Amino acid sequence: MKSEACMAPDLSRVYDVLVVGGGNAALCAAMTAREAGASVLLIESAPREFRGGNSRHTRNLRYFHDSGNRHLTGPYLEDEFWNDLLLVTKGQTNEELARYAIRESKNIGLWMEQHGCRFQPAMRGTLHLARTNAFFLGGGKALMNAYYACAERLGVEILYEATAEDLDLREGFFTSAAFDHRGARRTARARAVVLASGGYQANLEWLKQSWGPPAENFIIRGTPYDKGRMLRVMLDQGAQTVGDPRQGHAVAIDARAPKFDGGIVTRLDCVPFGIVVNRDARRFYDEGEEFWPKRYAIWGRLVAQQPDQVAYCLIDSKSIDLFMPSVFSPIEAGSIRDMAARLKLDPAALDDTVQAFNAATRPGSFDPAALDGCATEGIEPAKSHWARPLDTPPFYAYPLRPGITFTYLSLTVNRRAQVIMQGGAPAENIFAAGEIMSGNILGQGYMAGFGMTIGTVFGRIAGKESVRYVVERLKRS
Ligand SMILES: Cc1cc2nc3c(=O)[nH]c(=O)nc-3n(C[C@H](O)[C@H](O)[C@H](O)COP(=O)(O)OP(=O)(O)OC[C@H]3O[C@@H](n4cnc5c(N)ncnc54)[C@H](O)[C@@H]3O)c2cc1C
């Protein structure tokens, strides 16, 4: 017998809650709302095989916990979490919402396990996250599959290949959504809506509005379905925005990655162990400023600011085994000049850059697991740690491009996850969760595992609050 969730939804009825989106935030909202007794319809743009948005590419999340457990090596308390956030955002965050999100994340791993998530035992490795971040066994894909299975068991109705195109709003009050389902225009009516449809990073035209033509050279690390349609509709309908359109999460990824959906395997973690040059064979930033998890998210922007939005990370054979291998093989050469020829860079310029860098390195005790203070002297930009001469062939290079993960321009929300309209009043029955509201908390910068924290926490809040709204409204009528 087909489960209820596999059957076509009944679009003649009025659902309690419509959830737009099919990633982590959407599923957390849908499961929570359904468990609270609501009828829930979830519409996901992607076909079933590609469901799960950016969330299916994830590996871990960060949450507040008082003590270590099977998958975390020690405590991570509110103040440390908050200070980590302050450091990366440089204060560009809404403290009330951010602290609320941190508190609400307390022991969230337990709730996730109750909904099918499996975590792997804490691991050591180059990411230094074993205490703060829990890793999903099987990655984000397994997490999404588990959540969909749980949502179906609970009776959430799910429609794939269903793209919300418009929202019918009367003075900020939601009544229905128009969506495309395999080429046919349909309408879903509901008493409340949760918008969990991600950022707009897959919409190159929108990115170009703030980045200009360089956006053409950006690679989108995740789903091609996050085009920001719901964000645009809400902005046109008078929702208040938060966040800078030029801010977002962008990492340096292998320039040979596909335009969309390359996922985690295209990321490169070699930067701290080598040097990075631009098209003119010049270094442009301190490659060893900090541990890589605290710096990887600035390198997308750094590469985006270089001519032609391209850069090259060079290492020598001493470092080839020090980082997680990329899916693409490195470009190999016996000398720096041969490497320049292979990368189509000016050989003399690259040779000069490497020689100047090598001359600026100082003897020290190199330690990839510590801020080892092996720094350059008398060179700009400096390299603060892990600076060793590039002198042991073969040499290796990886071409880099900006890889956009998600955008921060967002819908403003309150603690109930209600969308705030211009003028400051909340839209009673419109809630938002995940990337679409992440800019409330992430004004700039990023820390590993926090995207999933925001989606899980606000997904649950949106699920709970949408049902609370529906119950109160039904009582009133
Ligand atoms: C390669 C990669 C690795 C990452 N690793 C991590 C990690 O380890 N930890 C971490 O915390 N974060 C990570 N992130 C960031 C993380 O993926 C996001 O912060 C998080 O998944 C956002 O969840 P979401 O539900 O808001 O968006 P998504 O998961 O992107 O879901 C949005 C959903 O909305 C659907 N949709 C879009 N528009 C419409 C529409 N109009 N109608 C219907 N449906 C629509 C999409 O199809 C998609 O299913 C990573 C991202 C990438 C790309």
Side-chain angles (χ1 to χ4, degrees), residues 193-343:
V193 66
V194 176
L195 304 174
S197 47
Y200 61 92
Q201 59 280 351
N203 186 334
L204 285 174
E205 289 308 312
W206 195 341
L207 291 181
K208 270 195 255 172
Q209 286 171 20
S210 35
W211 282 95
E216 283 292 349
N217 287 325
F218 294 177
I219 294 175
I220 317 308
R221 302 175 66 212
T223 179
Y225 295 97
D226 285 1
K227 291 183 185 295
R229 180 70 201 159
M230 289 297 95
L231 179 59
R232 170 58 66 206
V233 166
M234 285 305 295
L235 301 188
D236 291 348
Q237 301 254 20
Q240 205 178 92
T241 59
V242 57
D244 176 347
R246 277 177 70 96
Q247 290 293 345
H249 182 278
V251 304
I253 60 169
D254 199 302
R256 296 164 290 184
K259 189 73 177 173
F260 293 98
D261 243 352
I264 193 73
V265 292
T266 66
R267 193 174 107 186
L268 289 168
D269 293 336
C270 49
V271 168
F273 306 120
I275 64 168
V276 179
V277 299
N278 63 15
R279 185 199 64 185
D280 303 327
R282 303 272 168 246
R283 290 177 60 240
F284 51 89
Y285 198 83
D286 181 348
E287 300 89 347
E289 196 176 33
E290 245 295 357
F291 281 124
W292 189 233
K294 294 192 175 164
R295 280 297 171 274
Y296 75 96
I298 68 169
W299 276 85
R301 290 177 74 75
L302 291 172
V303 176
Q305 286 156 0
Q306 300 309 307
D308 295 342
Q309 298 71 55
V310 69
Y312 303 90
C313 180
L314 265 65
I315 56 170
D316 71 3
S317 60
K318 301 194 293 295
S319 302
I320 190 70
D321 293 324
L322 295 179
F323 52 91
M324 188 171 72
S326 154
V327 74
F328 297 99
S329 305
I331 296 160
E332 189 178 327
S335 72
I336 294 296
R337 281 180 173 266
D338 283 351
M339 182 60 86
R342 297 208 59 192
L343 301 178

Side-chain angles (χ1 to χ4, degrees), residues 22 25 44-45 54-55 58-60 164 197 225-226 405 435 449 451-452:
E44 154 68 309
S45 263
N54 273 359
S55 305
T58 61
R59 296 184 298 166
N60 62 77
S197 47
Y225 295 97
D226 285 1
T405 318
E435 282 174 5
M452 292 295 276

